[in-house]
Amino acid sequence: MGFVSTVLGFSGFGIGSVVGLVIGYYLFIYFQPNDVKDPVIRPLVEHDSQTLLKLLPEIPLWVKNPDFDRVDWLNRFIEYMWPYLDKAICKTAKTIAKPIIAEQIVKYKIDSVEFETLTLGALPPTFQGMKVYITEEKELIMEPLMKWAGNPNILIAVKAFGLRATVQVVDLQVFAYPRIILKPLVPTFPCFAKIQVSLMEKPHVDFGLKLLGADAMAIPGLYRFVQELMKDQVAKMYLWPKTLEVPIMDPKKAMKKPVGILHVKVVRATKLRKKDLMGGADPFVKFKLSDDKLPSKKTSVKHSNLNPEWNEDFTIIVKDPETQVLELHVFDWEKVGKHEQMGINVVPLKELTPDEPKVVTLDLLKSLDPEDVRNEKSRGQLELELVYRPFKEDEARTDDDPNAVEKAPDGTPDGGGLLVVIVHQAQDLEGKHHTNPYVHLVFKGEERKTKFVKKNRDPRWDEEFEFMLDEPPANDKLHMEVFSVSSRLGLLHPKENLGYVDISLADVGTCQEDSDLDSSKYGTKAVLKALIDAFHYQGVTAIADIVINHRCGTKRDERGIWCIFEGGGPDNRLNWGPSFICRDDTLFSDGKGNLDSGAGYEVAPGIDHLNPIVQNELIEWMNWLKTEVGFDGWRFDFARGYSPNITRLYIERTSPDFAVGEIWTALTYETDGKPVYNQDQHRTEILNWIQGSGGVTTAFDFTTKMILRDAVQGELWRMKDPGFYDHLFHWGLLDEISKLIAIRKRNRVNKTSGMDIMQQKQDIYVVMIDMKVMVKKPTAPKSPNLPSPNPFKSHHTIPSMGAASSREDRLSDSSDEEEEEQETTKNDPQIEPKSTKFHTPQKTTTHSPSSSSSLDDIDSRLKALNLKYNTKQGMRNAVKLYLHIGGNTPNAKWVVSEKLTNYVFVKKKSDEGSDDEGEDEGDLWVLEVGSKVRARVGPGMQLKSSGNQRRVDFVANGVWALNFFSDEEFKGFVRRYEECLFENTYGFEANESNKVKVYGKDFLGWANPEAADETMWEDAEDGFGKKGDATLMRGSEGLREEYEEVADGVGGIQSLALGALDNSFLVSGSGVQVVKNFSHGIHGKGVYVSFSDGKNYKRDVSASSAHLTPKKGLLMRAETNMMLMSPASDEKPHSRGVHQLDIETGRIVSEWKFEKDGTDITMRDITNDSKGDQLDPSGSTFLGLDDNRLCRWDMRDKHGIVQNIASASASPVLNWTQGHQFTRGTNFQCFASTGDGSIVVGSVDGKIRLYSSNSMRQAKTAFPGLGSPITHVDVTYDGKWVLGTTDTYLILISTLFIDKDGKTKTGFSGRMANKIAAPRLLKLTPLDSHLAGANNKFHGGQFSWVTEQGKHERHLVAMVGNFSVIWNFQQVKDSSHECYRNQQGLKSCYCYKIVLKDDSIVDSRFMHDKFAVSDSPEAPLVVATPMKVSSFSISSAC
């Protein structure tokens, strides 16, 4: 029976298994979903940033967060040092753990715990990024993100009760985000006294744990429990604000603070060696402590004495008795020449017992080298008496009486000690001739002085000085005097006194722990109340000075920091500790307070005013001052130190009769230390604080105070406040403004009055104020001088621009014209001053403008008062300001904006520096003219100078002109402008050394054009036109529109591909339009090849070609093929490949990929190998450019065999035949080729590099540029001239130079000599630049097109907005041309013609010179807008 059961069992198992497999397979097939789709695979570049972050969570923080910096250098350093760091860390860990383990094993009756193996493995930790905080404290705060996935081997053996067990930690992973604070920073290596480490978030710790060889973490639930337990325990100990503090050195020693006094008595010397010819010597002793910057002490001279006795006493300040030594030198005094040393020795201070006198007898040595055999010879002995008395601080009180006076420690001299004076800063200094201040200190005949600070009215020194005190200084004074010393050599005004202060040391005492009003030396509480009552009796309000931003501690905490505050009362009110200090005040805080809500204060702890306890107790104290003492109001000291909302809270909860805040900040100054004229920014800061407090308080008007201070010191012109003086006198609005003031006073209208806007339309504005006053402002009548909404009626009209001086350019000073200009200024809303608050309604009769002598009338009134004042001759940087109005209409004109104002160059933050929009770039120079012009100094100003008129024109939210009163003032302005432009561009001061650093020694002619070689501009080989024959180009003369075509397709024209044979091509976003070439332009549309429908693709071309949106077309192979380049994304121009268009069949025949060494790469631009290479029928190569690559691509394979694109199953790969991949930093932008294949490359940093046709690895010449990025570059056929395009100008460079053999060469063939020609700049006039639009930039600057040796380019063309701008090449090169006369610095050409279109111009090029006809020596110009293309012929007069 058992046998049968066994057989049946096996049979049943076998049958059941088979049946189960069959049923399972059936169910798997039957229930398999049918709607499963293949995953969509998309390139990374097509995803947005959020999707990328989800797909790639391991992207480093420095990529995702701009606050984090890359620290690859640190990771590389740790990687190289890791084998040594591993051993050092493990050794240190064993040393630290050994005593801890020995202490703990006794408690648990464990015999021993030992490390059998301890190594951190071969994988070092890596830092993903680091954030660094900049504070005003002496500390460095870093927050690195550390990740460590290591392979450590930590094996611990535990013995207990006769048994042995092993614990092994493996596969450790630690992800932590710590905060590391190095503080305080000290002037002793390693430059910080301690390290504080905190964790900003819970760390991630993962590891494997083996007990007796088994994986303990495999126990269910243990892994997660251990993980959470470790996170919580570590967080409890070190999560911010809790810290792990590692002391490095004693901060007191590191800061080199005085810790005691060394008393030195030089008794005598014996058996000195003879030094004089007569057998004697004149000895004296000179000594000092090591590492002490103070002058050495020295005794008197004992003449002709080899056993002198001095018995002279000295005191020296000791800063580190453990390391300092007393260095003593005995010299033989010489009347003439250097004193001869007789011997030397030292006394280490650590050998002295504190407070115990010690007599020391020293053998004099030749040197301190113990190996020096010369020390064996006897040189005499020196006898000293030394006493080291350390300072004693914080002695505990033994007297129970709280009012008892603390007794000085034993050994302290009566009233003696050390006076330490720290000179921090000065404010608001002003010298008559210069302001280079330093402080001279005098105390009891001893003198000290700080270093001097150049050109600073608010200097900061932070220098410490020490004076010895031998007796009580109660009757002594410290005299501090501020001087200014001239920074230049000269006998006139070498030094001047800026002021002094005497500080009585009787007023400098110690802070008692318990203090009240009765303990003040100025009187008791009863006396103060009586004084306030006397004030009230006379109707005077008593204001208390409330100093609550910061507070000085009365005791130290356990860290030794003065941060314990006591209120002085019987309760605990106002008794605060370090947790009541703002946590970003790291010098005093314990990290538990709130962040500071205002400005920091370095001298004392900043109180946390966001703490409710602080708020309530201060409010109680202030109410006590009101009710108990009798004060009526508050003056808030350093009110910037906390939020104005806090001030509002204190005022609302104490209800003072009056409150005022001290909002003191420094004025804005010029480079010479004088305040700038316009201080609106300074006043705005005060107003913002008042508004932030809800308007419940006032503030001291420091702005007006400081302006008036300078005004009464010989600068009365400063009282001509912008927005007030002009309105009253220049505009003749005295009567109207007086009436408005009377209305406001009569109806009590003020800044808090309510306004009800009753009507607000385009033609009228009506507002009711306080239901008392109604203000109605109608629309100003249309001025005939205003431009029409569209001054350019049609693109057929070519306005007159870039012409010579005309009525529109003339600045006239005639009285009739000035009256007309003043009236225009008054009525033209375009130039209505921003500071005008009220406008009188228009009447049938207008107020007559003030006469031109209004300034003289004011002067005569002031003279009648016998006041000292300055006229325009005394005003600094005085100018006359003009504004251009009317745009490009016939009524356009210059009007006087300010008859007399001044300008200043001032350095400001970029976000507050000008009215221009731009990114924050730090401190930049800004030009301010009066109250109306504020412009960042840069190419965007389009500044044009005219020396013969003493005039500069520029753009700054309008077109302005400055007229100077003398040639010197004009030249000074231009020189200062160029200095500021250099510093804004390169970040360096404009001195000679920095110019050499920027331009290089070979290109100093660019910085100093007057010293450059101008002979290269003559171009003797240029055969057309003679020097001086060219006529000035005026407006539209010589230009005629021949053809105009409307483009087909979708997306608009992107670029032109002009042919030299029968056809040219319009490249659009969806296809290519073929047009015919004629002698007067392109005309007659032919075939349109569309890419949007995919019909014009060869069957084998990849389907991705359907995404073809070309931006550029490159003609090749005798113009039968075109390479189309499409950007991979809308943000960047880079492309992964090109599409080949067969023009004869009208089809895309291939999609070529860019690849190097098997890796896909991108290109940002392509061009032909040479100027005429597109005409070569066998050409198969072209040039490519990327940010850091320059190469040549070949459509043949590496063996030179043409690839069979017809049978290619995948996209063929272009062959990289020549080129170089540069290290990061070249930032190539654009390139072009010459007739012989040489290459010019433009970069983002403004540099232009020249490469020969034989090598792309190293540039033959690198022009430094002028700082603006080169966006397009072109070169003449012969390579003699390079044209670079920037956003605001074109730069024309001569590559010619004469080598050492006297031969003329170009920079493509060799390194240019140091005598290099300065470039020419091609610019628009400020007016034309303004009309072109602030957001429109130059692009696509090119020469006319020639492809034969011996022919020369005649014109240059570039686009900006709706303008196509044309320059005559010969005129640009002609140094004697009238356009260059009276110019300073680099020569700028303003002679050009403009073709104006009614849409933005995308491309503008000259056709091949073969299409030039007899009456037009230049080929036609083709101008393309997105929807149209036009052809213009140019006459021989151009």
Side-chain angles (χ1 to χ4, degrees), residues 125-150:
T126 59
F127 292 91
Q128 303 296 306
M130 182 179 295
K131 184 191 296 185
V132 179
Y133 291 91
I134 299 177
T135 67
E136 296 182 357
E137 307 295 339
K138 294 181 179 180
E139 63 183 6
L140 176 62
I141 302 177
M142 301 175 292
E143 291 182 359
L145 179 62
M146 185 196 74
K147 292 189 177 182
W148 182 34

CSV table of all heavy atoms in Angstrom, one decimal, residues 125-150:
chain,number,residue,atom,x,y,z
A,125,PRO,N,35.3,61.1,-0.1
A,125,PRO,CA,34.1,61.9,-0.3
A,125,PRO,C,34.2,62.9,-1.4
A,125,PRO,O,35.3,63.4,-1.7
A,125,PRO,CB,33.9,62.5,1.1
A,125,PRO,CG,35.3,62.6,1.7
A,125,PRO,CD,36.0,61.4,1.1
A,126,THR,N,33.0,63.3,-1.9
A,126,THR,CA,33.0,64.4,-2.9
A,126,THR,C,32.0,65.5,-2.4
A,126,THR,O,31.1,65.2,-1.7
A,126,THR,CB,32.5,63.8,-4.3
A,126,THR,OG1,31.2,63.3,-4.1
A,126,THR,CG2,33.5,62.8,-4.8
A,127,PHE,N,32.4,66.7,-2.9
A,127,PHE,CA,31.5,67.9,-2.5
A,127,PHE,C,30.8,68.3,-3.8
A,127,PHE,O,31.4,68.6,-4.8
A,127,PHE,CB,32.4,69.0,-2.0
A,127,PHE,CG,33.0,68.7,-0.6
A,127,PHE,CD1,34.2,68.1,-0.5
A,127,PHE,CD2,32.2,69.0,0.5
A,127,PHE,CE1,34.7,67.8,0.7
A,127,PHE,CE2,32.8,68.7,1.8
A,127,PHE,CZ,34.0,68.1,1.9
A,128,GLN,N,29.5,68.3,-3.7
A,128,GLN,CA,28.6,68.6,-4.9
A,128,GLN,C,28.5,70.1,-5.2
A,128,GLN,O,28.1,70.5,-6.2
A,128,GLN,CB,27.2,68.0,-4.7
A,128,GLN,CG,27.2,66.5,-4.5
A,128,GLN,CD,27.7,65.8,-5.7
A,128,GLN,OE1,27.2,66.0,-6.8
A,128,GLN,NE2,28.7,64.9,-5.5
A,129,GLY,N,28.9,70.9,-4.2
A,129,GLY,CA,28.8,72.3,-4.3
A,129,GLY,C,29.0,73.0,-3.0
A,129,GLY,O,29.0,72.3,-1.9
A,130,MET,N,29.3,74.3,-3.0
A,130,MET,CA,29.5,75.0,-1.7
A,130,MET,C,28.9,76.4,-1.8
A,130,MET,O,29.1,77.1,-2.8
A,130,MET,CB,31.0,75.0,-1.4
A,130,MET,CG,31.3,75.7,-0.1
A,130,MET,SD,33.1,75.8,0.3
A,130,MET,CE,33.4,74.0,0.5
A,131,LYS,N,28.2,76.7,-0.7
A,131,LYS,CA,27.6,78.1,-0.6
A,131,LYS,C,28.5,78.8,0.4
A,131,LYS,O,28.7,78.3,1.5
A,131,LYS,CB,26.2,78.0,-0.2
A,131,LYS,CG,25.5,79.4,-0.1
A,131,LYS,CD,24.1,79.3,0.5
A,131,LYS,CE,23.2,78.4,-0.3
A,131,LYS,NZ,21.8,78.4,0.3
A,132,VAL,N,28.8,80.0,0.1
A,132,VAL,CA,29.6,80.9,1.0
A,132,VAL,C,28.9,82.1,1.3
A,132,VAL,O,28.3,82.8,0.4
A,132,VAL,CB,31.0,81.2,0.4
A,132,VAL,CG1,31.8,82.1,1.3
A,132,VAL,CG2,31.8,80.0,0.0
A,133,TYR,N,28.8,82.5,2.6
A,133,TYR,CA,28.1,83.6,3.1
A,133,TYR,C,29.1,84.7,3.4
A,133,TYR,O,30.2,84.5,3.9
A,133,TYR,CB,27.3,83.4,4.3
A,133,TYR,CG,26.1,82.5,4.1
A,133,TYR,CD1,26.2,81.1,4.3
A,133,TYR,CD2,24.9,83.0,3.8
A,133,TYR,CE1,25.1,80.2,4.1
A,133,TYR,CE2,23.8,82.2,3.6
A,133,TYR,CZ,23.9,80.8,3.7
A,133,TYR,OH,22.8,80.0,3.5
A,134,ILE,N,28.7,86.0,3.0
A,134,ILE,CA,29.5,87.1,3.3
A,134,ILE,C,28.8,87.9,4.4
A,134,ILE,O,27.7,88.4,4.2
A,134,ILE,CB,29.7,88.0,2.0
A,134,ILE,CG1,30.5,87.2,0.9
A,134,ILE,CG2,30.5,89.2,2.3
A,134,ILE,CD1,30.6,87.9,-0.4
A,135,THR,N,29.5,88.1,5.5
A,135,THR,CA,28.9,88.9,6.6
A,135,THR,C,29.8,90.0,6.9
A,135,THR,O,31.0,90.1,6.5
A,135,THR,CB,28.7,88.0,7.8
A,135,THR,OG1,30.0,87.6,8.3
A,135,THR,CG2,27.9,86.8,7.5
A,136,GLU,N,29.4,90.9,7.8
A,136,GLU,CA,30.2,92.0,8.3
A,136,GLU,C,31.0,91.7,9.5
A,136,GLU,O,31.7,92.5,10.0
A,136,GLU,CB,29.3,93.2,8.6
A,136,GLU,CG,28.6,93.8,7.3
A,136,GLU,CD,27.7,95.0,7.6
A,136,GLU,OE1,27.7,95.4,8.8
A,136,GLU,OE2,27.1,95.6,6.7
A,137,GLU,N,30.8,90.4,10.0
A,137,GLU,CA,31.6,90.0,11.1
A,137,GLU,C,32.9,89.4,10.7
A,137,GLU,O,33.1,89.1,9.5
A,137,GLU,CB,30.8,89.0,11.9
A,137,GLU,CG,29.4,89.5,12.3
A,137,GLU,CD,29.4,90.6,13.3
A,137,GLU,OE1,30.4,90.8,13.9
A,137,GLU,OE2,28.4,91.4,13.3
A,138,LYS,N,33.8,89.1,11.7
A,138,LYS,CA,35.1,88.5,11.4
A,138,LYS,C,34.9,87.0,11.4
A,138,LYS,O,35.3,86.3,12.4
A,138,LYS,CB,36.1,89.0,12.4
A,138,LYS,CG,36.4,90.5,12.3
A,138,LYS,CD,37.5,90.9,13.4
A,138,LYS,CE,37.8,92.4,13.2
A,138,LYS,NZ,38.8,92.8,14.2
A,139,GLU,N,34.3,86.5,10.4
A,139,GLU,CA,34.0,85.1,10.3
A,139,GLU,C,33.9,84.7,8.8
A,139,GLU,O,33.7,85.5,7.9
A,139,GLU,CB,32.8,84.8,11.0
A,139,GLU,CG,31.5,85.4,10.4
A,139,GLU,CD,30.3,85.1,11.2
A,139,GLU,OE1,30.4,84.5,12.3
A,139,GLU,OE2,29.2,85.5,10.8
A,140,LEU,N,34.0,83.4,8.6
A,140,LEU,CA,33.8,82.8,7.3
A,140,LEU,C,32.8,81.7,7.4
A,140,LEU,O,33.0,80.8,8.2
A,140,LEU,CB,35.1,82.3,6.7
A,140,LEU,CG,35.0,81.6,5.3
A,140,LEU,CD1,34.5,82.6,4.2
A,140,LEU,CD2,36.3,81.0,4.9
A,141,ILE,N,31.7,81.8,6.7
A,141,ILE,CA,30.6,80.7,6.8
A,141,ILE,C,30.5,80.0,5.5
A,141,ILE,O,30.4,80.6,4.4
A,141,ILE,CB,29.3,81.4,7.1
A,141,ILE,CG1,29.4,82.2,8.4
A,141,ILE,CG2,28.2,80.3,7.2
A,141,ILE,CD1,28.1,82.9,8.8
A,142,MET,N,30.6,78.7,5.5
A,142,MET,CA,30.5,77.8,4.3
A,142,MET,C,29.5,76.7,4.6
A,142,MET,O,29.4,76.2,5.7
A,142,MET,CB,31.9,77.2,4.0
A,142,MET,CG,33.0,78.2,3.8
A,142,MET,SD,34.6,77.4,3.6
A,142,MET,CE,34.9,76.7,5.3
A,143,GLU,N,28.8,76.4,3.5
A,143,GLU,CA,27.8,75.3,3.6
A,143,GLU,C,28.1,74.4,2.4
A,143,GLU,O,27.5,74.6,1.3
A,143,GLU,CB,26.4,75.9,3.5
A,143,GLU,CG,26.0,76.6,4.8
A,143,GLU,CD,24.6,77.1,4.7
A,143,GLU,OE1,23.9,76.8,3.7
A,143,GLU,OE2,24.1,77.7,5.7
A,144,PRO,N,28.9,73.4,2.6
A,144,PRO,CA,29.2,72.4,1.5
A,144,PRO,C,28.2,71.3,1.5
A,144,PRO,O,27.6,70.9,2.6
A,144,PRO,CB,30.6,71.9,1.8
A,144,PRO,CG,30.7,72.0,3.3
A,144,PRO,CD,29.8,73.2,3.7
A,145,LEU,N,27.9,70.7,0.4
A,145,LEU,CA,27.0,69.5,0.3
A,145,LEU,C,28.0,68.3,0.0
A,145,LEU,O,28.6,68.2,-1.1
A,145,LEU,CB,26.0,69.6,-0.8
A,145,LEU,CG,25.1,68.4,-1.0
A,145,LEU,CD1,24.3,68.2,0.2
A,145,LEU,CD2,24.2,68.6,-2.2
A,146,MET,N,28.1,67.4,1.0
A,146,MET,CA,29.0,66.3,0.9
A,146,MET,C,28.3,65.0,0.7
A,146,MET,O,27.2,64.8,1.3
A,146,MET,CB,29.8,66.2,2.2
A,146,MET,CG,30.9,65.2,2.2
A,146,MET,SD,31.6,64.8,3.8
A,146,MET,CE,30.2,63.8,4.4
A,147,LYS,N,28.8,64.2,-0.2
A,147,LYS,CA,28.3,62.9,-0.5
A,147,LYS,C,29.5,61.9,-0.4
A,147,LYS,O,30.5,62.1,-1.1
A,147,LYS,CB,27.6,62.8,-1.8
A,147,LYS,CG,26.3,63.6,-1.9
A,147,LYS,CD,25.5,63.3,-3.1
A,147,LYS,CE,24.2,64.1,-3.1
A,147,LYS,NZ,23.4,63.8,-4.3
A,148,TRP,N,29.3,60.9,0.4
A,148,TRP,CA,30.4,59.9,0.5
A,148,TRP,C,29.8,58.5,0.4
A,148,TRP,O,29.0,58.1,1.3
A,148,TRP,CB,31.2,60.0,1.8
A,148,TRP,CG,32.3,59.1,1.9
A,148,TRP,CD1,33.1,58.6,0.9
A,148,TRP,CD2,32.8,58.5,3.1
A,148,TRP,NE1,34.0,57.7,1.4
A,148,TRP,CE2,33.9,57.6,2.7
A,148,TRP,CE3,32.5,58.6,4.4
A,148,TRP,CZ2,34.6,56.9,3.7
A,148,TRP,CZ3,33.2,57.9,5.4
A,148,TRP,CH2,34.3,57.0,5.0
A,149,ALA,N,30.0,57.8,-0.7
A,149,ALA,CA,29.7,56.4,-0.8
A,149,ALA,C,31.0,55.6,-0.8
A,149,ALA,O,31.5,55.3,-1.8
A,149,ALA,CB,28.9,56.1,-2.1
A,150,GLY,N,31.4,55.3,0.4
A,150,GLY,CA,32.8,54.7,0.5
A,150,GLY,C,32.7,53.2,0.7
A,150,GLY,O,31.6,52.6,0.9
